[in-house]
Amino acid sequence: MLASITWDVNPEIFRLGFLHVRWYGLLWALAILSAYWVVTTIFKYEKRPEVWSDKLFLYGAISLIIGARLGHCLLYGGDNDFWFYYKHPFEIIKIWEGGLASHGGAIGLLLGMWLYNKYVVKKSYLYVLDRLVIGVAIGGMFIRFGNLMNSEIFGGATTMPWGFEFLRSAEWQQIGLPCHPTQIYEMTYCIITFIICMLMYWKWKSYRRQGLIFGVFLIGIFLTRFLLEFLKLNQEDFENNMIINMGQILSLPLIIWSICLIINALRKPSELQDFEKPNSKQAK
């Protein structure tokens, strides 16, 4: 029987002088591109203006990265608190040193999509979010894969045969036992959420109840994230004396929001389809 899995992957793909290309950066890029491809495919199917696709990448990528970085600096900065970054603002842009928080990225993306809807789409905010999150779900899978390649954000010790020994992690060296590969668990729930949201859009036409796809996405990502945090090691020392950690605290408002969205969407009558289907000749 397999006792454990030894994980000794180099987080760097290659080095070229001062340029260090890491798996984490590449997988973040793939996350953004995959999300963009999914959403623009939906826009093409709905025959939306090309400018929607053209500006989606600009609003989405910038707001996501800024939010994720600021979220890390303000919430998971470790010894570096708010005043440190206030006095040394250049440290904030050092993304290449690591440090992107998913909750910060979520908040940044929500704000970015609000601006995108206000100035580009000019429809219901939930219209945009119902479609965006389908792409975000698969993008989340790539980001968690990046965490695995970095040997970071894993769980506590386990006797299960799929426990990982993260040899390149200083944190794991202090434990010295196989640990839960929570990055893979998170990749799994991202893929499942993506499949469910895809079925809701393409097969079940759930976009007719605005907010329903978005609400299910929030449940799929943040409720599972809340539960999975019980297996994960705390990212910062200040979390050790907390009943629930920072990730769980930040997930709670999104879980509550998701329940309200789903209830509200199901209480309202299904809306008529608001775009023209391509005919059979166009489909060919």
Side-chain angles (χ1 to χ4, degrees):
M1 180 180 290
L2 185 64
S4 63
I5 298 170
T6 301
W7 189 255
D8 190 24
V9 175
N10 190 339
E12 289 186 359
I13 304 174
F14 65 85
R15 231 179 240 210
L16 194 59
F18 66 89
L19 178 64
H20 300 179
V21 179
R22 301 172 66 92
W23 286 107
Y24 188 67
L26 174 62
L27 288 162
W28 255 88
L30 288 175
I32 293 172
L33 291 174
S34 63
Y36 174 78
W37 179 81
V38 169
V39 181
T40 55
T41 298
I42 290 172
F43 284 166
K44 288 178 182 178
Y45 173 71
E46 296 185 5
K47 298 183 178 180
R48 298 306 184 185
E50 289 186 9
V51 68
W52 288 20
S53 298
D54 295 338
K55 294 190 176 182
L56 174 66
F57 186 86
L58 178 67
Y59 280 87
I62 292 177
S63 63
L64 174 65
I65 293 173
I66 291 176
R69 181 56 180 166
L70 289 178
H72 171 79
C73 293
L74 297 177
L75 301 172
Y76 298 101
D79 295 332
N80 299 330
D81 58 15
F82 172 80
W83 293 110
F84 171 84
Y85 290 108
Y86 177 78
K87 295 175 182 178
H88 306 89
F90 183 70
E91 295 293 321
I92 296 177
I93 68 173
K94 291 185 177 180
I95 299 176
W96 55 88
E97 293 184 358
L100 295 169
S102 58
H103 286 94
I107 294 170
L109 192 57
L110 286 171
L111 291 173
M113 289 300 99
W114 181 82
L115 293 171
Y116 171 71
N117 182 63
K118 179 179 176 65
Y119 293 108
V120 182
V121 176
K122 300 178 182 178
K123 292 176 69 69
S124 164
Y125 185 37
L126 289 176
Y127 167 88
V128 174
L129 295 181
D130 277 340
R131 288 145 179 83
L132 175 75
V133 294
I134 303 174
V136 171
I138 194 62
M141 184 274 295
F142 285 108
I143 292 172
R144 292 311 179 195
F145 192 12
N147 294 140
L148 179 64
M149 300 303 283
N150 265 359
S151 296
E152 62 183 2
I153 314 180
F154 48 86
T158 179
T159 57
M160 303 305 291
W162 56 78
F164 271 49
E165 297 182 17
F166 295 97
L167 301 186
R168 292 178 181 264
S169 168
E171 189 176 20
W172 181 83
Q173 296 295 339
Q174 299 176 3
I175 301 172
L177 298 170
C179 293
H180 282 286
T182 50
Q183 311 97 321
I184 296 177
Y185 303 166
E186 291 181 289
M187 288 167 61
T188 302
Y189 72 60
C190 284
I191 293 172
I192 293 172
T193 302
F194 170 71
I195 293 171
I196 292 173
C197 289
M198 284 284 283
L199 289 171
M200 290 181 70
Y201 180 87
W202 294 104
K203 185 174 182 179
W204 302 324
K205 312 300 181 186
S206 299
Y207 52 77
R208 295 180 179 178
R209 297 182 183 273
Q210 286 199 0
L212 183 57
I213 297 177
F214 180 46
V216 170
F217 164 84
L218 290 177
I219 285 285
I221 298 299
F222 291 103
L223 178 58
T224 48
R225 167 74 185 269
F226 181 90
L227 297 174
L228 193 59
E229 288 292 324
F230 289 110
L231 292 179
K232 292 166 68 173
L233 298 176
N234 290 328
Q235 296 186 49
E236 302 296 340
D237 291 339
F238 71 82
E239 296 178 300
N240 293 335
N241 296 321
M242 299 169 65
I243 298 176
I244 56 176
N245 63 27
M246 182 62 72
Q248 291 172 310
I249 292 172
L250 295 172
S251 295
L252 280 174
L254 296 169
I255 294 170
I256 295 170
W257 189 16
S258 70
I259 295 171
C260 294
L261 284 166
I262 292 171
I263 293 174
N264 187 57
L266 293 177
R267 287 177 61 185
K268 291 182 177 180
S270 178
E271 299 174 356
L272 293 176
Q273 191 166 311
D274 62 351
F275 60 89
E276 181 185 352
K277 278 187 177 181
N279 58 43
S280 58
K281 291 183 179 179
Q282 289 174 322
K284 292 180 181 178

